[in-house]
Amino acid sequence: MTGRPARTVRLLVVTLMAAFLQAAPARAAVQGPPDGVVTWGASADRIGEAVADRGYRMVVHTSVGGRDPRIRLSNAFGDRPVTFDSVYAGLQKEGPELVHRTNRRLTFDGSTSVTVPPGATAYSDPLPGRLPAGSDLVVSVHTPDAAGPLTGHWMAMQTSYATQGDHTAEEGGAHWTETVGSWFYLDAVSVRADAGAVAALGDSITDGWQSTTDVNRRWPDYLARRLQKSQNVVKGVANEGISGNKVLADGAGQSALNRLDRDVLSQPGVRTVFLFEGVNDIKAHTGVTAQDLIDGYREILDRAHAAGTCVVGATIAPFKGWSEWDPAAEAVRQEVNAFIRDSGEFDAVTDFDRILRSPYDRERMLPALDGGDHIHPNDKGMQAMADAVDLRSLDCPDR
């Protein structure tokens, strides 16, 4: 559906959802991490230099619905405290414009401002009301004197907005004229719900590169929609992919090993880690062997199991045709995939290699699923990946 009819339906949907974030009596501040479940997540990284008196209006798409949403602000990569003197949340109407009467101020331990130390995160207080599944939530923040390294998520595949000055309380979009393709400071949204969540730990394929911007067609988005229609206990999905990320070495973000606790295991309600990483370690030609990657996977398995979560392992997808492919890298990929499939060390396995590869050249992605660069799937490929996941495995029945 395109054009005016689609916009009409969208306005109807957000109007029906507008009961969320209507004014409600304040409740007492809650200390510490929330007891709910993550409904949206994005991995933190350093994404440039912070700017004083800057406002960001960020659009995020929820997975599981629930009550009393909270956000998490991150200064994980800052070298000094950052103060947020005004933070609001509402529902998107269109572009930077919000649904009438949904934009409400968030507080932190009862205060309208919060200062987050370097390397730390801060949860807001619960915002009374219900946040439906599949909502386009808009979080607006203002930082009066920010400076130094800026924490955020570079490749959002989602249009958000920026401005100078504090316009966070405004429903309209008149002052939010600058479009941005990143999320700043915001790295999680959680709700209270009788459900669990899966955290997808991955690289640019999980991050959504080559999927269509602004329509939520990353493979974790397709997975979230499947889960909402299922009888699963797990319904929340946190996308913890970073473009270029590796299992073993820092570079494009901290390695999966170094960010596992912050990006995945600290998220509320996570029952299962979905591990789909390794191609960047292999194609970099830095001497990483199959055994090196297997050892890295085993450390993730041990730490995740110690935290009480299951781990679903996904085989590394084919990438012949990408500039860094060669037979030596392919040999490592095949050996690693044999471990993932056959070792029995994962709680479950999803065979993305089998789903994405061409039947005529098993080292190459099926052209109909290829986003064009021979390593990143297109929208159809992203959906095929999500459809391949055994939803029962995400409920972590054995732990």
Side-chain angles (χ1 to χ4, degrees), residues 9-20 91 99 130 132:
V9 170
R10 175 180 173 80
L11 290 176
L12 175 61
V13 170
V14 296
T15 301
L16 291 173
M17 294 194 307
F20 162 67
L91 292 171
V99 176
R130 181 166 181 83

Side-chain angles (χ1 to χ4, degrees), residues 153-158 181-183 204 207-210 218 243:
H153 186 89
W154 172 68
M155 195 179 76
M157 304 302 296
Q158 173 68 55
S182 302
W183 292 303
S204 56
D207 215 5
W209 183 241
Q210 296 292 9
R218 314 163 192 85
S243 181

Side-chain angles (χ1 to χ4, degrees), residues 68 124 127 174 208 265 298 327 329 346-347 350 369 380:
D68 305 340
S124 72
L127 191 62
L265 300 181
R298 283 176 168 153
F346 290 92
D347 297 285
T350 298
L369 306 181
K380 187 176 179 180

Side-chain angles (χ1 to χ4, degrees), residues 4-5 29 46 71 160 180 196 207 245 309 312-313 342 345:
R4 186 176 302 275
R46 176 175 176 170
I71 70 166
S160 292
V180 292
D207 215 5
N245 201 230
T309 69
V312 176
D342 304 330
E345 296 189 31

Side-chain angles (χ1 to χ4, degrees), residues 98-341:
L98 306 181
V99 176
H100 182 51
R101 296 183 63 191
T102 63
N103 198 33
R104 290 166 56 200
R105 184 186 288 274
L106 290 163
T107 60
F108 299 80
D109 288 334
S111 174
T112 58
S113 67
V114 63
T115 298
V116 185
T121 59
Y123 286 99
S124 72
D125 300 326
L127 191 62
R130 181 166 181 83
L131 180 61
S135 298
D136 288 326
L137 181 69
V138 180
V139 178
S140 304
V141 304
H142 178 253
T143 55
D145 53 6
L150 191 159
T151 297
H153 186 89
W154 172 68
M155 195 179 76
M157 304 302 296
Q158 173 68 55
T159 301
S160 292
Y161 305 89
T163 188
Q164 284 300 112
D166 183 7
H167 302 282
T168 53
E170 299 171 6
E171 291 180 345
H175 289 101
W176 299 93
T177 56
E178 181 182 345
T179 58
V180 292
S182 302
W183 292 303
F184 302 89
Y185 301 112
L186 178 70
D187 78 341
V189 179
S190 60
V191 294
R192 290 183 173 137
D194 295 327
V198 55
L201 181 58
D203 50 40
S204 56
I205 300 178
T206 297
D207 215 5
W209 183 241
Q210 296 292 9
S211 68
T212 304
T213 299
D214 288 337
V215 290
N216 304 301
R217 292 181 181 170
R218 314 163 192 85
W219 74 260
D221 297 320
Y222 283 110
L223 179 63
R225 289 189 280 273
R226 284 188 68 203
L227 287 168
Q228 298 319 305
K229 298 175 183 178
S230 75
Q231 299 301 312
N232 275 51
V233 174
V234 164
K235 291 191 179 293
V237 178
N239 186 333
E240 303 299 339
I242 295 182
S243 181
N245 201 230
K246 298 176 182 176
V247 174
L248 303 174
D250 292 347
Q254 292 179 321
S255 69
L257 290 170
N258 287 337
R259 65 190 184 90
L260 177 66
D261 291 344
R262 180 190 65 244
D263 289 349
V264 175
L265 300 181
S266 71
Q267 298 288 6
V270 169
R271 295 173 64 103
T272 300
V273 179
F274 194 103
L275 177 60
F276 177 45
E277 286 224 41
V279 69
N280 289 313
D281 299 77
I282 294 171
K283 69 183 183 60
H285 298 291
T286 57
V288 169
T289 66
Q291 191 59 53
D292 292 333
L293 262 179
I294 290 167
D295 289 344
Y297 292 154
R298 283 176 168 153
E299 182 178 337
I300 291 172
L301 280 161
D302 288 345
R303 289 164 57 189
H305 286 159
T309 69
C310 287
V311 183
V312 176
T315 52
I316 300 172
F319 67 103
K320 187 177 182 180
W322 177 263
S323 61
E324 294 167 293
W325 184 93
D326 64 18
E330 180 64 22
V332 174
R333 186 180 77 91
Q334 294 290 352
E335 186 175 348
V336 169
N337 281 351
F339 166 79
I340 294 170
R341 289 188 187 101

Side-chain angles (χ1 to χ4, degrees), residues 74-87:
S74 177
N75 191 24
F77 292 87
D79 63 2
R80 67 202 75 186
V82 59
T83 295
F84 302 89
D85 61 353
S86 186
V87 182

